[in-house]
Amino acid sequence: MSYGAYFIADDGSLLVSSDQPCYEYIADYSVASRSGNVNTYNVTMTEYPLVLINAGETGKAGLLAIEGNPGAWVISVLADGSYSISVFKVVGGAPSNYGIATFAADGSLCFDSSKKILNSKAVTTIGSGITSSTPIGSNMVAYTSGQVQANKTESREWV
């Protein structure tokens, strides 16, 4: 960064930068339907959502898919229960009249202190090499569960 602003947390991690936009909280969504172990959620927002699953400390869940179009997203989650999800979007639009705002070199909004900003407070590893950013004491999970279909195919030929 040759110019701009950035804010560093007490632990030395980067909180805000004028190089990258932050994510702002939109809403929590409840399960719209459940079939087997798959929860489906209907999210009405124009931007592509960032989804965190509120599975608690003992729950198991993973994001299967985010499908649809702007304004009508269908989110599928593989889970052992009916958990809510928290939805975020890239911060944008005009800043509020009060507080602090940072902007990128192209003039786009990167941070606005009047918005509820996603702030990862701890980074841990889940399973084998899957990195998750989850606030300490939080119950959010942010990693994909991978393919549901088997990866193995078998071909046979009679000679």
Side-chain angles (χ1 to χ4, degrees):
M1 166 183 356
S2 58
Y3 63 92
Y6 63 93
F7 301 100
I8 304 293
D10 291 340
D11 66 358
S13 63
L14 180 65
L15 291 176
V16 176
S17 168
S18 57
D19 288 338
Q20 295 293 322
C22 294
Y23 284 88
E24 68 175 289
Y25 172 77
I26 301 302
D28 284 344
Y29 288 86
S30 297
V31 176
S33 66
R34 182 169 169 85
S35 177
N37 287 335
V38 178
N39 296 338
T40 303
Y41 307 82
N42 298 316
V43 175
T44 55
M45 59 187 280
T46 55
E47 296 85 357
Y48 191 82
L50 171 69
V51 178
L52 299 178
I53 306 162
N54 302 312
E57 291 183 22
T58 59
K60 297 171 187 68
L63 183 63
L64 288 176
I66 299 175
E67 302 171 305
N69 298 302
W73 300 103
V74 178
I75 299 169
S76 301
V77 171
L78 181 64
D80 65 350
S82 295
Y83 306 120
S84 67
I85 59 172
S86 296
V87 176
F88 297 81
K89 74 174 187 85
V90 174
V91 69
S96 65
N97 293 330
Y98 303 102
I100 298 172
T102 64
F103 299 88
D106 65 1
S108 62
L109 184 65
C110 285
F111 171 78
D112 185 347
S113 64
S114 68
K115 301 189 186 286
K116 294 180 180 178
I117 299 295
L118 174 63
N119 181 8
S120 299
K121 295 181 182 174
V123 177
T124 59
T125 301
I126 299 173
S128 57
I130 301 172
T131 301
S132 169
S133 299
T134 306
I136 295 172
S138 170
N139 60 359
M140 295 184 192
V141 176
Y143 59 94
T144 58
S145 60
Q147 292 182 331
V148 175
Q149 294 82 20
N151 289 328
K152 181 180 176 185
T153 60
E154 185 175 321
S155 299
R156 295 183 183 210
E157 179 179 333
W158 291 95
V159 179

